[in-house]
Amino acid sequence: SAKFRAGLIQMRSGRTPQANLDEAIRLIGEAKAAGADYVLTPEMTNIMETSREKLLATIAEEDKDICLSAFRDLARKHSIFVHIGSLAIKVSADKAANRSYLIGKQGEIVAVYDKIHMFDVDLASGESYRESRNFRPGESAVIADLPFARFGLSICYDLRFPALYRALAEAGATVLTIPSAFT
């Protein structure tokens, strides 16, 4: 592993992808200006929507997603690695993927990871979350080699499952990423 400067973006995504994109672009620009070689955004960078109907009506397929396209252009413009913690990407009429993208300095997609472990929980307060209702789980762990480290990709609730991190470490990951968002 070589030295590198990471920019970790904190933002509170809302229900409007364009507003979330504008904020992420501004923050990534600040991170680049501060010397970042690699920038990581949170889970659900493009939208945080609890309504199934509104979520599926708002998001797009990967090849039509305005956020992914803009982030690829931004990585190329700034010549940095942009790691989108995740985007909600439509994968069928009734399901999305909670998908992380690691974008290279020329705007190429270096790695893609779909969140494996869905956050399905009933809390003592009476709140109930069923991520699996809206999202299709991923099936594979993902490793990405960057010039300065081997990255193991994961997202939020995956943290509760140590076998995933053991597999990433055994595959040689020297950096583990766990972008998260909370309702």
Side-chain angles (χ1 to χ4, degrees), residues 72-73 75-77 79-81 103-109:
R72 293 181 74 185
D73 289 343
R76 190 177 309 111
K77 173 185 169 188
S79 190
I80 60 173
F81 291 94
I103 302 167
K105 294 167 86 171
Q106 281 75 48
E108 76 282 12
I109 296 174

Side-chain angles (χ1 to χ4, degrees), residues 28-117:
I28 292 167
E30 286 182 14
K32 170 60 180 175
D37 304 299
Y38 161 91
V39 179
L40 175 61
T41 70
E43 176 185 26
M44 292 290 120
T45 295
N46 64 336
I47 190 168
M48 181 62 88
E49 176 60 68
T50 55
S51 163
R52 175 183 175 78
E53 294 74 25
K54 289 178 184 175
L55 174 72
L56 293 170
T58 304
I59 63 172
E61 293 83 10
E62 184 174 274
D63 62 340
K64 295 178 183 148
D65 186 79
I66 62 166
C67 294
L68 179 57
S69 176
F71 289 132
R72 293 181 74 185
D73 289 343
L74 192 65
R76 190 177 309 111
K77 173 185 169 188
H78 289 313
S79 190
I80 60 173
F81 291 94
V82 175
H83 186 170
I84 304 307
S86 78
L87 300 174
I89 297 292
K90 190 177 280 189
V91 293
S92 70
D94 64 342
K95 289 283 183 176
N98 187 344
R99 185 168 289 165
S100 184
Y101 292 91
L102 182 50
I103 302 167
K105 294 167 86 171
Q106 281 75 48
E108 76 282 12
I109 296 174
V110 174
V112 176
Y113 169 75
D114 287 354
K115 183 177 180 181
I116 294 172
H117 301 97

Side-chain angles (χ1 to χ4, degrees), residues 16-31:
T16 310
Q18 186 62 56
N20 299 328
L21 175 60
D22 292 344
E23 180 68 357
I25 287 172
R26 182 183 71 76
L27 293 168
I28 292 167
E30 286 182 14

